[in-house]
Amino acid sequence: DGGITQSPKYLFRKEGQNVTLSCEQNLNHDAMYWYRQDPGQGLRLIYYSQIVNDFQKGDIAEGYSVSREKKESFPLTVTSAQKNPTAFYLCASNPSWGFSGNTIYFGEGSWLTVV
Amino acid sequence: DAKTTQPTSMDCAEGRAANLPCNHSTISGNEYVYWYRQIHSQGPQYIIHGLKNNETNEMASLIITEDRKSSTLILPHATLRDTAVYYCIVRVGDNAGNMLTFGGGTRLMVKP
């Protein structure tokens, strides 16, 4: 079945460590996104990518990095520079760029906890 | 960018229609209205979207006012499994691509 797969579901990180969250989609979507959600809050955009080898910062990109080497993959690295990384992270994808009538689909999310 | 305003929370009796309002008074002509819902600790689920005509699918109906400044999501026969946070979203303009900007949403509690 087509969809968006995020892994791991739960991840614990020690302070000062970098961690990478995986996001894979087999929907042949061009655009991919990473959102962060804090408890009881809405989603905030971290990074997005319109096409392979291209990505742009969202509203809260500081302390995060991404890559888009393949169309189906958009991994997010949470670096040690991110001072408050404990949150729920959501990956999403969209069929095309520039057409606002298309829907965006989400993965099931990854919980990151700093210990 | 158009912003949306939703009530923080609403209650609905099981089996009754749930009507969730959303104000988007600054929406522009080519922006769509989207509705998503999120059950705790899961990814948001797409419900429905529309431009200016009313829309209906197997999950819900979307009623958009003629001036497009507000809309209502209708769950015709709410069940306990419809308890979730519902987000009304207007798609950001083309210079920012197809991003979705989420607000706080409406926490719908369906009660027996």
Side-chain angles (χ1 to χ4, degrees):
Chain A
D1 289 343
I4 302 173
T5 302
Q6 289 187 239
S7 63
K9 178 67 175 179
Y10 300 95
L11 183 62
F12 296 89
R13 189 195 91 172
K14 293 182 179 180
E15 287 191 20
Q17 285 184 335
N18 294 351
V19 293
T20 297
L21 306 180
S22 171
C23 178
E24 302 280 332
Q25 54 97 0
N26 59 4
L27 300 167
N28 199 34
H29 287 176
D30 293 308
M32 297 186 73
Y33 313 82
W34 274 105
Y35 289 89
R36 169 182 171 142
Q37 187 174 34
D38 293 286
Q41 305 296 315
L43 280 69
R44 293 184 290 168
L45 183 67
I46 305 173
Y47 267 98
Y48 63 99
S49 169
Q50 307 175 44
I51 196 170
V52 174
N53 294 322
D54 180 75
F55 48 84
Q56 305 294 331
K57 293 182 178 180
D59 299 323
I60 56 165
E62 185 176 355
Y64 300 97
S65 66
V66 294
S67 63
R68 188 82 187 278
E69 298 177 359
K70 298 185 296 183
K71 186 176 185 178
E72 60 269 25
S73 179
F74 191 41
L76 173 73
T77 297
V78 184
T79 74
S80 57
Q82 170 51 237
K83 298 305 179 186
N84 186 22
T86 295
F88 187 49
Y89 291 87
L90 284 157
C91 179
S93 70
N94 191 94
S96 64
W97 181 255
F99 173 49
S100 62
N102 284 334
T103 59
I104 288 182
Y105 298 90
F106 286 85
E108 286 304 306
S110 295
W111 282 99
L112 173 63
T113 302
V114 174
V115 297
Chain B
D1 298 340
K3 303 296 183 201
T4 63
T5 304
Q6 299 177 253
T8 303
S9 64
M10 293 181 62
D11 291 341
C12 178
E14 187 178 19
R16 303 295 294 270
N19 297 293
L20 290 86
C22 180
N23 287 321
H24 31 78
S25 58
T26 59
I27 192 171
S28 61
N30 62 349
E31 290 182 309
Y32 286 70
V33 179
Y34 283 78
W35 283 85
Y36 282 77
R37 72 180 183 184
Q38 187 178 27
I39 298 170
H40 182 64
S41 297
Q42 296 182 21
Q45 177 189 22
Y46 165 79
I47 301 173
I48 199 167
H49 75 281
L51 183 61
K52 53 184 177 181
N53 297 323
N54 297 339
E55 302 288 343
T56 296
N57 62 20
E58 65 277 7
M59 291 182 66
S61 294
L62 174 62
I63 308 299
I64 302 174
T65 58
E66 191 170 346
D67 62 7
R68 302 186 73 238
K69 293 184 176 182
S70 65
S71 61
T72 300
L73 178 74
I74 301 172
L75 308 177
H77 305 287
T79 71
L80 299 179
R81 285 176 294 184
D82 291 322
T83 293
V85 177
Y86 288 76
Y87 295 100
C88 169
I89 301 156
V90 174
R91 182 65 66 91
V92 178
D94 286 346
N95 62 349
N98 280 343
M99 296 186 296
L100 293 177
T101 300
F102 286 77
T106 296
R107 187 171 300 275
L108 176 68
M109 180 71 69
V110 180
K111 298 183 176 181

